[in-house]
Amino acid sequence: VEGDKEYKAKIIGADPLSDIAILQVDSNALIGADIGNSEDLQVGEWVVAIGSPLGLDQTVTRGIVSAKGRSTDDIRIASYADFIQTDASINRGNSGGALINIRGQLVGINTAIATGGGFSYGNIGIGFAIPSKLVQRVMTQLIEKGEVERGWLGVMIQDVDHNLAEKLGFAKPHGALITMVGKNSPAEKGGMRHGDVVLDFDGVSIRDRDHLRYVVAAAGIGSTVDVKVIRQGKKKDLKIKLAKRTEEAITALSNRVASPGEDAD
C-alpha cells in the first residue's frame, strides 16, 4: 500500500503445498524488497516481522531466529517447507508479511504461530516463517510455468526412531527410513530398497522424513543425484534420476493403507 491507498491485485499463481501465492500489483510507486539468503541466517540473529496483526496495519515487531529447519511435523500448514522459527511477535493477521534481517533483506514470509492450545490465540514467542530460498523457487516457477514442479522418488518413508537409531549406532536419530519402494519408480530404478535408511541426498545430510521430502522436491525433475544409504548395516552409494511429482504418482503409491508416521515421497 501507499499510505492508505489500496490497489487491486491479480493472482498470478498459487501453490497450496508451500502456502505461497504470487500477486501482481500495477504501480510505479511501489519498491520491491531486497531478497536475502535465508540459508545464511544464524540462530540468535536479530530479525523484524512486519504485518497487520489483529487488523493493526503496518505493525513492526522484533526478535531473534529461534531455530531453523522446523519440519512440517512441527507445523501442519504446508506440505513442503523448512520453517524459520522466531520469537518476533507474530499474531493472527501477520501471515503473508515480511520477516527481514537487520540489513533490511527479506529472509522469510510469516505464515503461522504456535498458541499453546486451549482458547489462546495470541503470540507466545513461537512463530514460523517460510524461508526466502523456498519463496524464490516457488515464485520463479509460478511466474514462468504457472505451477511448481517437484522432484519425485516414489517411496514411502518414516522417521528413524530411537530404537532403530540405537541399532544403527547413531548418537541420535537422523535420516529417513524407506518402508516401501514403488514399482518402476525412480527409487527402484536407482537401486533403492525397502529398509534402506537415507543419510545423505544430493550432498545434504538428512534430518528426518520431512526434510527428505523437502530436499527431493527441490532437487529438480530429471536430475541425477547421489544418495547415501545404510543397508543391513553397510553404507551404499546410489545414483537416482528423479521424476516429476504428480497426483497420479502419489495415488498409485499410496493405494495401500499407510502406517502411522509414514508418508509418500
Side-chain angles (χ1 to χ4, degrees), residues 36-82:
N37 186 352
S38 53
E39 301 237 315
D40 292 338
L41 278 176
Q42 299 293 318
V43 174
E45 181 176 339
W46 286 102
V47 285
V48 172
I50 302 174
S52 301
L54 308 177
L56 300 171
D57 294 344
Q58 307 298 314
T59 294
V60 178
T61 56
R62 70 168 184 169
I64 63 169
V65 174
S66 304
K68 294 174 62 179
R70 291 303 192 198
S71 71
T72 53
D73 260 353
D74 298 311
I75 173 174
R76 281 290 177 187
I77 197 170
S79 299
Y80 288 91
D82 208 31

Side-chain angles (χ1 to χ4, degrees), residues 4-5 16 28 37-38 55 83 111 115 128 141 161 179 186 199-200 206 212 231 238 244 262:
D4 293 329
K5 188 174 180 180
N28 294 325
N37 186 352
S38 53
F83 293 105
T111 190
T115 62
F128 301 93
Q141 292 199 36
D161 61 21
T179 56
L199 300 178
D200 188 284
I206 300 303
L212 177 60
R231 180 181 301 167
L238 307 176
K244 181 180 179 180
E262 194 176 43

Side-chain angles (χ1 to χ4, degrees), residues 216-235:
V216 170
I221 300 165
S223 61
T224 299
V225 297
D226 294 321
V227 183
K228 296 182 184 297
V229 304
I230 287 185
R231 180 181 301 167
Q232 297 179 343
K234 297 180 180 180
K235 291 185 178 180

Side-chain angles (χ1 to χ4, degrees), residues 236-247:
K236 295 185 69 70
D237 293 326
L238 307 176
K239 285 189 177 293
I240 299 177
K241 184 177 181 179
L242 300 179
K244 181 180 179 180
R245 179 195 187 276
T246 64
E247 291 303 321

